[in-house]
């Protein structure tokens, strides 16, 4: 009955609102910016799934009906909680319509909204900034990195300002497999939320050791006002979450697109990544000016430690290692023979080291005591500027596209492949993790003697390499990999594809300023064209990854498998990549199968998009 009355009132109201010409209303209701305010990005259906966000019943929704209902809500009497008034709930709609219509003539008086006013008390310039967090391979939700929008509020320190996050509403005890399945099939709700930036900074920078890159969004004040108002409307409003293309990157991009001349995300795109959004905004303009301003780098605790340690000379490194093994030796007396600048560098490195390895929640962790001791010693030295300027050339906006298509050949035929996302050890670069790998959905077809076959499939391939750059206690070098997909039974076959799952656990060491990584893994898995136990195997893998320069990289892998059927195979593979341009590369590969004593050479040219 209530919905019927609501629909009848809406019908009567939509005939003529405040005497506004119907043509004006119809035109406004199809305005691209108005549709985006309703989260209608493509077609006629809002992306929002939260019924409380819309003022019209789901079966009565149209952009015109919602426009009429919005205007009506702006003139409603002030409720007991003024923050629930239509103007306070929908400040972006109010701003948009006020710029299009004469509210004074229509008798719509502005309402003061205390909570919204406090939230939007921002600096006149650069009211918003976009933060990119590098990927974290310990959590599927963070594989591709993450985006935050910081609200640069007045009279607040950087870490106290509000930070807007978008993420899936995942139950606290949800398992990784359940998260992946539900994230892919759209079983989760998701929403924008807001917390102080300190919360995210501490989690990403300190706990997960992820670098942060903060880009001011250089919009005109009236544009920033509209984006910020729209985000206010969307906080705690439910959307359907899809891991690949309705994620933080998609919805953050849609919010910023509200005021841009062109869309940066296609609604039909099957995958959308945070780095892709940064790159597209970096190359976009608004009113003839770049959308993103100069980046501010927030190095993780791990990066800070590694850069400090790298800046030490051999004597200073030796002293840091000596104290890390015997913390009671950290005294001013033990450093008395050193110059003042060396004391600064050693103590600052140890402060970052103890911050890196300590368990902040465990008061019994002795590293907390050592950390406090190092800080107290630093205060006893004469006042001086920080001993290290942190830097990185790994800015995500400068990177290549996240997808790669390629064509090439090997001994057997012509290869055509597509890797939707994201990177491997050969092309890990801007915004990626050195020597690591994260690939999803890659497949290859081969044209052999006029026949077309599926040559390989990689549903998921993750390789996490811990660098252990300092060799200090607690600087872990444990590494692991997981591959799920399908590959040929042997390298001399093009039509014998079989499923494969392989898991490896091991250690890694890095050299030459972390540009060379050597890893060893114990492996186990399954590879067979049937489900019989003979497909189970255990083995070992040795791998070397060398980032020679920005142009050249190489990877060598020796993989031995021993099957339950008492057969074995050993494969040596050497790959080399040459970056031709930012969007193109050339790859050479040579493999040798010791079981069949046969080799394979391949070459392909790839394009990043």
């Amino acid at each position: 009955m209530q919905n019927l009355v609501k629909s009848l009132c809406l019908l009567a109201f939509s005939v003529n609102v405040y005497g506004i010409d119907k043509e004006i209303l119809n035109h406004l209701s199809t305005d691209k910016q108005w549709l985006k305010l309703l989260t209608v990005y493509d077609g006629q259906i809002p992306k929002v799934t939260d019924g409380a966000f819309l003022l019209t019943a789901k079966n009565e929704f149209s952009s015109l009906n919602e426009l009429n209902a919005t205007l009506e809500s702006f003139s409603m009497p002030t409720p007991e909680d003024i923050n629930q008034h239509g103007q306070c709930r929908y400040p972006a709609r109010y701003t948009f319509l006020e710029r299009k219509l004469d509210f004074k003539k229509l008798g719509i008086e502005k309402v003061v909204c205390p909570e919204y006013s406090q939230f939007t008390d921002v600096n006149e310039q650069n009211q918003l900034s976009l933060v990119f967090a590098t990927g974290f391979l310990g959590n599927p939700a963070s594989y591709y990195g993450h985006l935050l929008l910081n609200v640069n509020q007045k009279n607040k320190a950087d870490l106290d300002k509000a930070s807007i996050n978008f993420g899936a509403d995942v139950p606290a005890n949800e398992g990784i497999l359940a998260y992946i399945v539900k994230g892919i099939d759209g079983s989760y709700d998701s929403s924008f939320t807001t917390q102080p930036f300190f919360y995210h900074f501490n989690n990403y920078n300190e706990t997960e050791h992820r670098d942060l890159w903060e880009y001011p969004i250089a919009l005109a004040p009236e544009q920033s006002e509209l984006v910020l108002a729209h985000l206010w409307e969307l906080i705690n409003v439910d959307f359907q979450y899809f891991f690949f293309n309705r994620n933080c990157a998609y919805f953050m991009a849609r919010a910023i697109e509200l005021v841009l001349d062109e869309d940066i995300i296609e609604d039909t795109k099957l995958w959308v990544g945070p780095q892709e959004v940064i790159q597209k905004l970096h190359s976009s303009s608004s009113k003839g000016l770049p959308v993103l301003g100069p980046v501010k780098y927030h190095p993780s605790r791990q990066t800070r430690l590694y850069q400090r340690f790298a800046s030490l000379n051999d004597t200073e490194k030796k002293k840091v290692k000596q104290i890390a093994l015997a913390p009671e030796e950290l005294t001013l007396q033990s450093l008395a023979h050193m110059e003042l600048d060396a004391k600064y560098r050693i103590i600052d490195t140890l402060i970052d080291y103890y911050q890196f390895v300590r368990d902040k929640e465990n008061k019994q962790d002795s590293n907390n005591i050592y950390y406090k001791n190092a800080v107290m010693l630093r205060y006893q030295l004469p006042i001086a500027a920080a001993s290290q300027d942190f830097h990185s050339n790994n800015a995500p906006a400068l990177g290549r596209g996240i997808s790669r298509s390629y064509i090439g050949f090997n001994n057997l035929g012509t290869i055509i492949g597509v890797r939707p996302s994201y990177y491997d050890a050969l092309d890990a670069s801007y915004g990626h993790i050195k020597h690591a790998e994260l690939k999803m959905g890659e497949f290859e077809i081969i044209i052999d003697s006029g026949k077309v076959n599926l040559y390989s499939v990689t549903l998921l391939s993750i390789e996490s390499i811990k660098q252990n750059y300092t060799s200090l206690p607690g600087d872990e070098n444990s590494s692991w990999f997981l591959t799920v997909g399908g590959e040929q039974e042997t390298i001399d076959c093009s039509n014998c594809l079989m499923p494969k799952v392989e898991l490896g656990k091991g250690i890694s060491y890095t050299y030459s300023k972390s540009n060379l990584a050597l890893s060893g893994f114990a492996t186990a898995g399954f590879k067979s064209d049937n489900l019989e136990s003979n497909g189970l195997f255990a083995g070992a893998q040795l791998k070397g990854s060398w980032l020679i320069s920005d142009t050249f990289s190489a990877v060598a892998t020796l993989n031995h498998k021993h099957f339950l059927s008492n057969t074995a195979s050993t494969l040596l593979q050497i790959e080399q990549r040459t970056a031709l341009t930012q969007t193109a590369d050339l790859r050479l590969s040579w493999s040798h199968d010791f079981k069949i004593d046969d080799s394979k050479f391949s070459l392909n040219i790839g394009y990043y998009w």
Side-chain angles (χ1 to χ4, degrees), residues 120-336:
T120 56
D121 185 19
V122 296
N123 300 317
E124 291 184 9
Q125 300 296 325
N126 297 332
Q127 298 175 9
L128 296 167
S129 56
L130 188 62
V131 180
F132 174 83
T134 52
F136 176 58
L137 299 181
N139 180 357
S142 303
Y143 283 169
Y144 293 97
H146 194 63
L147 294 179
L148 300 168
L149 266 171
N150 281 353
V151 183
N152 298 319
Q153 297 160 309
K154 290 180 182 177
N155 305 317
K156 286 196 175 183
D158 281 351
L159 294 180
D160 288 333
K161 58 193 176 186
S163 189
I164 300 173
N165 179 48
F166 184 91
D169 302 327
V170 182
N173 298 320
E174 194 83 288
I176 291 179
L177 183 59
Y179 170 80
I180 293 174
V181 173
K182 292 180 180 180
I184 291 174
D185 72 11
S187 295
Y188 290 127
D189 287 331
S190 55
S191 59
F192 287 95
T193 55
T194 180
Q195 288 174 305
F197 182 48
F198 170 79
Y199 171 84
H200 299 292
F201 184 89
N202 185 64
N203 183 43
Y204 294 151
N205 241 215
E206 299 288 343
T207 303
E208 297 180 348
H209 308 307
R210 301 163 68 178
D211 290 343
L212 301 178
W213 307 83
E214 185 170 5
Y215 293 86
I217 301 177
L219 299 172
E222 66 273 11
Q223 292 177 310
S224 293
E225 177 189 358
L226 190 60
V227 172
L228 188 54
H230 183 45
L231 288 165
W232 171 264
E233 295 176 352
L234 295 177
I235 289 174
N236 295 323
V237 170
D238 285 340
F239 295 83
Q240 189 176 15
Y241 178 84
F242 289 93
F243 180 82
F244 292 114
N245 63 356
R246 296 294 180 267
N247 48 30
C248 74
Y250 175 86
F251 286 105
M252 287 290 187
R254 287 303 191 190
I256 299 169
E257 275 180 0
L258 178 65
V259 296
L260 300 185
D261 299 330
E262 296 181 357
D263 291 347
I264 59 171
I265 294 295
E266 299 171 11
D267 216 55
T268 55
K269 199 165 173 40
L270 297 178
W271 48 88
V272 181
Q275 187 176 10
E276 177 185 9
V277 172
I278 292 286
Q279 291 169 349
K280 290 191 175 182
L281 285 173
H282 187 257
S283 61
S284 298
S285 61
S286 177
K287 297 187 176 181
L289 298 174
V291 172
L292 296 184
V295 66
K296 180 179 181 181
Y297 177 51
H298 301 281
S300 70
R301 182 64 60 183
Q302 183 183 57
T303 298
R304 290 166 63 90
L305 170 62
Y306 285 4
Q307 290 198 16
R308 284 197 195 279
F309 191 81
S311 70
L312 303 177
N313 61 38
D314 290 342
T315 301
E316 292 163 351
K317 287 179 180 178
K318 184 177 179 181
K319 190 65 177 178
V320 167
K321 289 183 178 181
Q322 176 186 334
I323 294 172
L325 292 170
E328 66 277 1
E329 295 186 15
L330 178 57
T331 63
L332 289 182
Q333 288 78 8
S334 70
L335 302 175

Side-chain angles (χ1 to χ4, degrees), residues 551-564:
T551 302
F552 300 102
S553 57
V555 171
T557 307
L558 180 64
N559 199 333
H560 177 78
K561 298 181 179 69
H562 191 91
F563 289 85
L564 198 62

